[in-house]
Amino acid sequence: MTASSRLGRWLPPRLWVFVAILAMLALAALLAPWVAPQSPEAQNLLGRLRPPGTEVRGITYLLGSDELGRDLLSRLIYGAQVSLTVAALSVLVSGTIGTALGMIAAWSGGWTSTIIMRLVDIVLSVPAILLAIITVAILGPGFINVIAVLAFTRWPRYARVAYGQTLGLMNLPYVRLSRFMGASTLRVLSRHILPNIIGPIMVVVTLEFGLMVLFEAGLSFLGLGVQPPTPSWGAILSAGRNYVTTAWWIAVFPGLFLFLLILSVNVLGDHVRDVVEGRR
């Protein structure tokens, strides 16, 4: 079997368009200083609220301009940088904390397991977006605070998966033999348990990533996320709602970018779940 056929078997051609969307958004975010036509903060009041394709004094607004004459395409590109960075770091922090706590709860048992899993139940009992709004209102808005809030609200998802997977592995013969041979708890968990639960954890990662993007946009829309003048898709949407009838492009294009990103992540996440569960 050739490499191309193996790739096609693992990733069907019908999913390539979603991979391409994610790749383009990631590259645009990574190369924002070089691919953005203008500075995202550069204002031009003579070019305010110009429709897509308009040229004003040598500046072409491919996707139009906002209420301060800033190039919308440039702000969306830099907004992708913010959204993807926040989502990636939130998933990394919440995934690391949740997976570690879930494994510890399953391995330790007793009061340690009870306390951790009851804390998981408490956090999951509160709607995530409500908990995020309350927490960020206490801590205050900002880039770092948004990451911390999103990680705090989502770690229980990983903990529950890691807990169940670890319980199913800890009594297998090779794990019991490692313990009998004197291997430390850290070595057993890191060398024998973690590699075997990473598949289900990655499924959670792919599904949570799109949700983190949506949560960040929602917090920024409410003014509780990344603060101006840093561009954010949610903040651009929030500003665009005041100009829906006169400058529709300010709200439509960031909404379209959000839709494409979250759709692509969710479709690929569903595919990863099916692969891990052996359905494909």
Side-chain angles (χ1 to χ4, degrees), residues 7 54 145 155 160-161 176 211 228 264 269:
L7 177 61
T54 302
N145 286 352
W155 69 266
R160 180 165 285 180
V161 172
R176 298 179 66 179
L211 197 58
S264 300

Side-chain angles (χ1 to χ4, degrees), residues 39-60:
S39 168
E41 301 175 10
Q43 301 180 14
N44 178 15
L45 296 181
L46 293 178
R48 63 188 301 270
L49 300 179
R50 295 302 178 105
T54 302
E55 182 177 348
V56 178
R57 292 188 174 182
I59 300 176
T60 301

Side-chain angles (χ1 to χ4, degrees), residues 267-278:
V267 169
L268 294 175
D270 288 341
H271 177 70
V272 171
R273 180 190 60 197
D274 291 342
V275 170
V276 170
E277 294 178 355

Side-chain angles (χ1 to χ4, degrees), residues 155-166:
W155 69 266
R157 303 287 179 181
Y158 301 91
R160 180 165 285 180
V161 172
Y163 177 80
Q165 293 292 321
T166 303

Side-chain angles (χ1 to χ4, degrees), residues 35-119:
V35 300
Q38 306 291 331
S39 168
E41 301 175 10
Q43 301 180 14
N44 178 15
L45 296 181
L46 293 178
R48 63 188 301 270
L49 300 179
R50 295 302 178 105
T54 302
E55 182 177 348
V56 178
R57 292 188 174 182
I59 300 176
T60 301
Y61 298 106
L62 294 177
L63 296 184
S65 62
D66 64 8
E67 70 279 7
L68 295 177
R70 296 172 295 193
D71 180 52
L72 186 59
L73 176 59
S74 300
R75 291 184 61 77
L76 289 175
I77 291 174
Y78 276 89
Q81 192 176 64
V82 171
S83 295
L84 293 176
T85 302
V86 169
L89 292 178
S90 300
V91 166
L92 177 63
V93 174
S94 60
T96 301
I97 294 174
T99 301
L101 290 177
M103 293 170 64
I104 292 171
W107 186 264
S108 301
W111 282 105
T112 302
S113 176
T114 300
I115 292 173
I116 293 176
M117 298 314 295
R118 291 300 76 77
L119 182 59

Side-chain angles (χ1 to χ4, degrees), residues 106-226:
W107 186 264
S108 301
W111 282 105
T112 302
S113 176
T114 300
I115 292 173
I116 293 176
M117 298 314 295
R118 291 300 76 77
L119 182 59
V120 167
D121 293 337
I122 291 172
V123 176
L124 290 178
S125 67
V126 182
I129 188 63
L130 177 61
L131 183 61
I133 291 174
I134 294 173
T135 308
V136 79
I138 295 173
L139 296 178
F143 185 82
I144 300 299
N145 286 352
V146 169
I147 295 173
V149 166
L150 294 180
F152 170 71
T153 58
R154 304 308 298 177
W155 69 266
R157 303 287 179 181
Y158 301 91
R160 180 165 285 180
V161 172
Y163 177 80
Q165 293 292 321
T166 303
L167 282 179
L169 293 171
M170 58 188 295
N171 289 319
L172 292 180
Y174 72 91
V175 177
R176 298 179 66 179
L177 180 60
S178 297
R179 298 171 64 183
F180 178 77
M181 296 294 291
S184 65
T185 297
L186 179 60
R187 180 177 177 84
V188 173
L189 291 178
S190 61
R191 296 291 297 273
H192 301 297
I193 301 295
L194 182 59
N196 289 288
I197 70 171
I198 200 67
I201 294 298
M202 288 306 299
V203 173
V204 181
V205 167
T206 55
L207 297 176
E208 285 286 306
F209 189 89
L211 197 58
M212 292 300 96
V213 173
L214 187 60
F215 277 8
E216 185 278 326
L219 291 174
S220 296
F221 183 87
L222 297 173
L224 298 174
V226 179

